[in-house]
Amino acid sequence: MHRRLVALASALLLPLVAAPVLTPADAAPAPAPTTAVAHQDRSGTPLARAAQRRKLIVRVLSNRADLVSEGDARVAVTAAKGVRLRSIRVFVGRREVTKRFAVRPTGRYEGIVRGLRVGRNVVTARWRGHRARAVVTNHPAGGPLFSGPQLKHYRCQATARDAQCNQPATYSLLYRSTNPLAAALQPYDRTNPPNDVATTTTDRGVRVPFIVRREDGFQDRDRYTILTLWQPGKPWAPWRPQRQFNGKVLVTHGGGCGASYSPGTPPLEDYSGTIPAETPGFTQSYVTALGKGFSVISTALDNTGHNCNVAMNAESLVMAKERFVERYGTIRYTIGTGCSGGSIAQHTVANAYPGIYQGLITTCSYPDTLTAGAQFADYHLMRRYFEDPSRWGPGVAWLPTQMADVEGHLTHLNAVVADEGLFKSALNPEDECGGTTAPVAGDPATRYDSEINPGGVRCSVLDLMVNLIGPRPSSVWTPQEKRAGRGFGGIPFANAGIQYGLEALKAGRITTAQFLDLNEKLGGLDVDSQPIAGRTVGDPASVARAYRTGLVNLATNLDQVAMINFGGPDPGLAHDYAHAFWTEERLRRDQGHTDNRVMWFGAVPLIGDLGWANDALVQMDRWLSRVERDGRAVPLARKVVQDKPADLTDRCTNVPGVGEVPGAGDEVDCVLPESLQLRLSTPREMAGDDVHNDRLSCRLTPLERSAYGFLLVPLTDAEWARLQAVFPRGVCDYSRPGLGSQPAQTWLAYADARGRVVHGGRNLPSVPAASGEGWSSPSFRGLLHR
């Protein structure tokens, strides 16, 4: 339905009117907005006081000044008292651009500076011998900004104007119908307006027809979409938005984890598209947001099913937010929403690139890709063993309940679903992925094949992440890597030293013979995700980079975002609620509390409650609006916790009276046992690891025979010898952090000044002063500067 809607909408193109005014000025100007966040250049703010001392300050509002793209930037000049704003002259290099500046309805002297060259640009403001400047670094519209050298093989859309997939943006109108059976937004024909247009009242009390303008375009070689409530025929300028815009942005995400080498579709629907947009009686949360006056941003690259790379997720959102501020208006705060991979994108981007979001709404939750990937790799290997009884040793037989016990779940079904639905497609380099063609005998085409095209494009997400995790060193190259002349994306996880089933053995639920047989025959995976007899040892540099880059989310930078997570029982158990607790445990370890996160568990499979996506949006908006109004000079993390509404608490079920007891006032406390919330275990927990589930590769300790003193029948010499053969270098020592474990570095870039790749990233310089202010209200500032 989403593709059909895009096709219908794109047929109703609106003319592209040059910014700063985006619509024909054929109607009376809209009144200036009265948002809760006013930017007063001559106030007592630190910037204003600095301007008083220095007379002038040049500020880049639309982005970090060193990450500007598309050749333009929204710039403001702050002036001291006594400076006549209209007398200020502005230059880019030697080129005067003063005509693009004016005193805007906000009281600021600002404009959109255009024609920036790729690279360094100096924007200078002058007044009576005084001057101020800002260095603006511009990047191509096709990217990259900081994600590093782009994939060499890439197939643009047929309508692309150049090799970077650039083409002009298109505009269309949609509307919400008064017909309750028409749940999705419908195409709006301005030459023949429909007679069933609903009306909406925004959260600022503005009542308007429910008409939406949709902008579709290309940035970073992929698609983006911007939607906003729109009054046709009335002007909109970034410093004078139409009055129904409330200054808030919702970012929507898709699900899954995959790689693609061609443009995708920006996701909009809740729950990764599992509930179609046209479902009668169900309103997608992005539609609810639009009706309240929010704008909605989505990019194809923020969909992990299309692009499972945190740096590229973040980069696409940075570019889209810049465009939004330059063409639509400054942003008070940004809320993310999404299921499964949508939760991964939010969690990892917020942790590795703080400042992009102020609030996260996550469901079908995972904290990141790689720690769940390690769990699913274990399932993949266990399936090969458990589902092939011919591999079992003499006298060894496994009951289904024992298989599930070793895997840490209720049934073996979890391993099947996770492996088939998530792991195989994400890690298989020969899997079909967008922009590639399959090789056949005599025609290697573009896609990797281990036998006939080892130099082809690999569809494994590890190769998509190669700038982050790095390639494999030549010392471990496979024959395919040698034929290709390069190392493939590194293996960022290991299972060497893991004693699978140890906890079940200790509890007497499996026998010593089963324990030995499983660990002898489980094996590992090579760089092509093919089984090997020995254990996977991983590539140490890639393991460490996975933590450094934030691909593994230890939650060390999530203290300044508000979070609402909700979910329900998953019949397939690939999205069991335990993964939400992984994030909870990591937050508790890092912060000592989880007070900036709310957990809801309901009875509806996977999502808890059909209404919670919309309810969470409303509650998150309440929460952030309180933080926004908090002008105290205290850390933002403290505001997020202390400004959470008192009645916004954990929920344990959506069945009245079940799982909750009255608390203080109107609050309720959870009493539903975690077992009923499907806080299930994992193969690594059942091997002795802890509840954080964030150890990609363990440190080893020598085998000690005395460690098996819990056995009622001691190990025989033959059994001890078998165990030593399985673990020649030792077994996991869970009392020590995993190999390479470290907090994520924030705002990493994956290329040097010459554009050469820097595997594992380099820290971007400090944020240029007074840049990126258009991204959030003052109370949220500082995130970009971490």
Side-chain angles (χ1 to χ4, degrees):
M1 176 61 185
H2 179 63
R3 292 188 178 92
R4 295 198 301 272
L5 185 60
V6 172
L8 287 169
S10 61
L12 302 171
L13 304 183
L14 294 178
L16 172 59
V17 182
V21 179
L22 296 176
T23 55
D26 58 355
T34 56
T35 62
V37 186
H39 300 273
Q40 301 296 330
D41 285 340
R42 300 173 190 270
S43 69
T45 64
L47 271 172
R49 290 193 294 271
Q52 190 64 37
R53 294 191 302 270
R54 295 165 45 190
K55 294 296 184 183
L56 302 173
I57 292 178
V58 178
R59 304 153 64 186
V60 179
L61 302 180
S62 51
N63 200 346
R64 286 179 51 136
D66 55 350
L67 294 179
V68 164
S69 62
E70 294 194 81
D72 54 12
R74 184 173 174 180
V75 174
V77 181
T78 300
K81 291 180 180 179
V83 175
R84 188 169 180 268
L85 294 177
R86 291 177 175 83
S87 299
I88 297 171
R89 299 173 67 193
V90 185
F91 298 81
V92 175
R94 297 182 179 180
R95 175 170 58 94
E96 186 167 1
V97 294
T98 306
K99 65 181 181 180
R100 295 198 172 274
F101 283 74
V103 180
R104 305 301 180 182
T106 57
R108 294 184 300 205
Y109 187 66
E110 64 174 276
I112 306 295
V113 174
R114 302 188 184 285
L116 300 175
R117 66 183 182 183
V118 173
R120 189 174 185 269
N121 299 263
V122 179
V123 179
T124 306
R126 300 176 185 173
W127 180 80
R128 293 186 181 179
H130 299 279
R131 66 178 59 196
R133 71 173 199 164
V135 176
V136 178
T137 305
N138 177 53
H139 301 75
L145 300 185
F146 49 75
S147 63
Q150 294 176 318
L151 304 168
K152 291 182 179 180
H153 172 80
Y154 199 80
R155 188 174 67 191
C156 290
Q157 73 281 11
T159 53
R161 298 289 181 88
D162 56 34
Q164 287 293 90
C165 307
N166 293 312
Q167 70 178 62
T170 59
Y171 301 85
S172 56
L173 291 180
L174 307 169
Y175 78 99
R176 189 166 193 186
S177 173
T178 55
N179 179 358
L181 298 180
L185 297 179
Q186 307 295 313
Y188 180 96
D189 184 351
R190 63 189 308 167
T191 64
N192 184 25
N195 58 12
D196 62 336
V197 178
T199 58
T200 185
T201 301
T202 71
D203 59 13
R204 295 169 58 187
V206 179
R207 185 173 177 82
V208 293
F210 204 132
I211 301 172
V212 173
R213 191 180 85 153
R214 175 169 180 152
E215 175 184 343
D216 289 288
F218 286 80
Q219 293 177 317
D220 219 3
R221 304 196 304 182
D222 220 320
R223 292 183 174 89
Y224 72 87
T225 291
I226 297 173
L227 300 99
T228 193
L229 205 58
W230 196 264
Q231 296 185 67
K234 294 186 178 182
W236 184 311
W239 29 77
R240 190 191 287 269
Q242 292 181 6
R243 62 195 183 99
Q244 70 275 4
F245 175 48
N246 64 14
K248 308 167 194 176
V249 167
L250 180 71
V251 174
T252 55
H253 300 81
C257 179
S260 184
Y261 295 82
S262 62
T265 300
L268 289 171
E269 284 76 27
D270 294 317
Y271 314 130
S272 304
T274 57
I275 300 179
E278 65 272 20
T279 303
F282 180 81
T283 301
Q284 301 282 345
S285 66
Y286 83 92
V287 177
T288 299
L290 288 167
K292 290 181 174 295
F294 281 71
S295 288
V296 174
I297 294 176
S298 184
T299 72
L301 291 176
D302 77 24
N303 177 5
T304 54
H306 174 68
N307 163 52
C308 208
N309 178 323
V310 62
M312 293 171 67
N313 296 151
E315 181 172 273
S316 73
L317 293 174
V318 167
M319 296 180 78
K321 290 187 74 170
E322 178 190 337
R323 184 176 181 89
F324 186 92
V325 173
E326 291 165 358
R327 289 159 175 79
Y328 294 88
T330 55
I331 301 170
R332 294 165 58 187
Y333 46 79
T334 300
I335 299 172
T337 185
C339 163
S340 190
S343 69
I344 290 173
Q346 292 180 74
H347 283 137
T348 54
V349 169
N351 192 58
Y353 293 90
I356 291 177
Y357 306 103
Q358 283 69 56
L360 312 181
I361 299 173
T362 58
T363 188
C364 337
S365 187
Y366 294 107
D368 58 56
T369 299
L370 291 184
T371 53
Q375 176 190 8
F376 298 161
D378 291 341
Y379 292 153
H380 181 76
L381 292 170
M382 287 183 172
R383 286 191 68 198
R384 293 185 63 252
Y385 173 78
F386 284 139
E387 295 175 16
D388 183 5
S390 68
R391 300 189 65 203
W392 303 349
V396 171
W398 287 87
L399 297 173
T401 53
Q402 292 175 312
M403 299 176 190
D405 194 353
V406 168
E407 292 167 346
H409 278 73
L410 300 178
T411 72
H412 180 60
L413 177 64
N414 176 257
V416 176
V417 172
D419 187 33
E420 295 294 338
L422 301 171
F423 180 79
K424 284 184 176 180
S425 60
L427 271 293
N428 179 7
E430 298 182 2
D431 191 57
E432 180 180 354
C433 63
T436 66
T437 54
V440 295
D443 179 13
T446 59
R447 194 179 308 147
Y448 174 83
D449 185 284
S450 60
E451 296 182 358
I452 64 175
N453 194 25
V457 179
R458 292 169 57 87
C459 292
S460 166
V461 297
L462 301 183
D463 294 277
L464 185 78
M465 300 173 180
V466 70
N467 288 353
L468 283 68
I469 61 177
R472 284 159 45 82
S474 58
S475 59
V476 297
W477 282 5
T478 61
Q480 288 79 12
E481 287 170 297
K482 292 176 181 177
R483 288 170 61 191
R486 71 178 192 279
F488 300 151
I491 302 175
F493 49 81
N495 70 346
I498 298 177
Q499 301 182 77
Y500 292 103
L502 180 63
E503 297 303 312
L505 177 66
K506 287 180 178 179
R509 295 191 296 269
I510 65 172
T511 67
T512 299
Q514 288 174 307
F515 173 73
L516 288 170
D517 197 58
L518 169 66
N519 282 282
E520 282 176 324
K521 297 173 180 175
L522 192 77
L525 297 171
D526 66 11
V527 71
D528 282 352
S529 289
Q530 296 302 306
I532 56 176
R535 295 294 182 90
T536 305
V537 296
D539 298 307
S542 294
V543 171
R545 289 166 177 159
Y547 290 97
R548 170 182 166 80
T549 61
L551 285 168
V552 172
N553 178 15
L554 298 184
T556 49
N557 303 305
L558 291 180
D559 58 336
Q560 299 191 63
V561 288
M563 292 175 276
I564 297 177
N565 180 86
F566 62 91
D570 183 359
L573 304 185
H575 289 88
D576 58 87
Y577 204 60
H579 296 104
F581 281 103
W582 291 12
T583 305
E584 196 84 349
E585 296 293 353
R586 298 178 196 182
L587 282 170
R588 184 175 290 108
R589 177 182 58 192
D590 179 68
Q591 303 176 173
H593 65 83
T594 61
D595 295 341
N596 60 324
R597 189 169 189 251
V598 173
M599 294 264 280
W600 298 349
F601 179 83
V604 175
L606 192 65
I607 61 176
D609 189 291
L610 286 172
W612 277 356
N614 288 294
D615 190 11
L617 173 65
V618 172
Q619 299 301 329
M620 180 60 71
D621 188 30
R622 287 178 60 213
W623 189 351
L624 294 181
S625 68
R626 290 165 63 100
V627 177
E628 181 186 45
R629 294 192 299 269
D630 190 340
R632 294 178 299 160
V634 299
L636 175 57
R638 189 186 306 176
K639 294 181 185 180
V640 170
V641 169
Q642 294 179 350
D643 295 333
K644 182 174 66 176
D647 60 349
L648 181 52
T649 61
D650 290 351
R651 301 177 186 176
C652 289
T653 180
N654 55 354
V655 178
V658 178
E660 297 179 346
V661 296
D666 294 329
E667 296 182 26
V668 293
D669 298 318
C670 290
V671 297
L672 193 66
E674 290 180 0
S675 60
L676 296 181
Q677 297 180 59
L678 295 188
R679 184 175 182 177
L680 305 176
S681 188
T682 67
R684 298 193 179 206
E685 282 189 71
M686 295 306 296
D689 206 345
D690 60 37
V691 294
H692 301 100
N693 284 282
D694 58 10
R695 208 180 315 260
L696 294 181
S697 179
C698 67
R699 298 179 186 274
L700 301 179
T701 187
L703 269 173
E704 294 184 8
R705 197 163 184 171
S706 60
Y708 303 91
F710 59 83
L711 292 171
L712 294 177
V713 179
L715 293 171
T716 66
D717 290 344
E719 289 170 335
W720 176 242
R722 290 172 64 189
L723 200 59
Q724 288 177 307
V726 175
F727 301 109
R729 297 171 51 238
V731 294
C732 290
D733 180 356
Y734 294 121
S735 68
R736 296 188 291 166
L739 289 169
S741 180
Q742 58 187 290
Q745 296 289 306
T746 59
W747 289 93
L748 291 179
Y750 295 92
D752 61 18
R754 296 184 179 182
R756 297 172 299 192
V757 65
V758 177
H759 294 119
R762 64 176 179 86
N763 294 94
L764 285 169
S766 298
V767 179
S771 64
E773 292 184 9
W775 280 21
S776 65
S777 298
S779 291
F780 297 102
R781 302 269 167 80
L783 278 166
L784 289 174
H785 297 261
R786 292 189 62 177

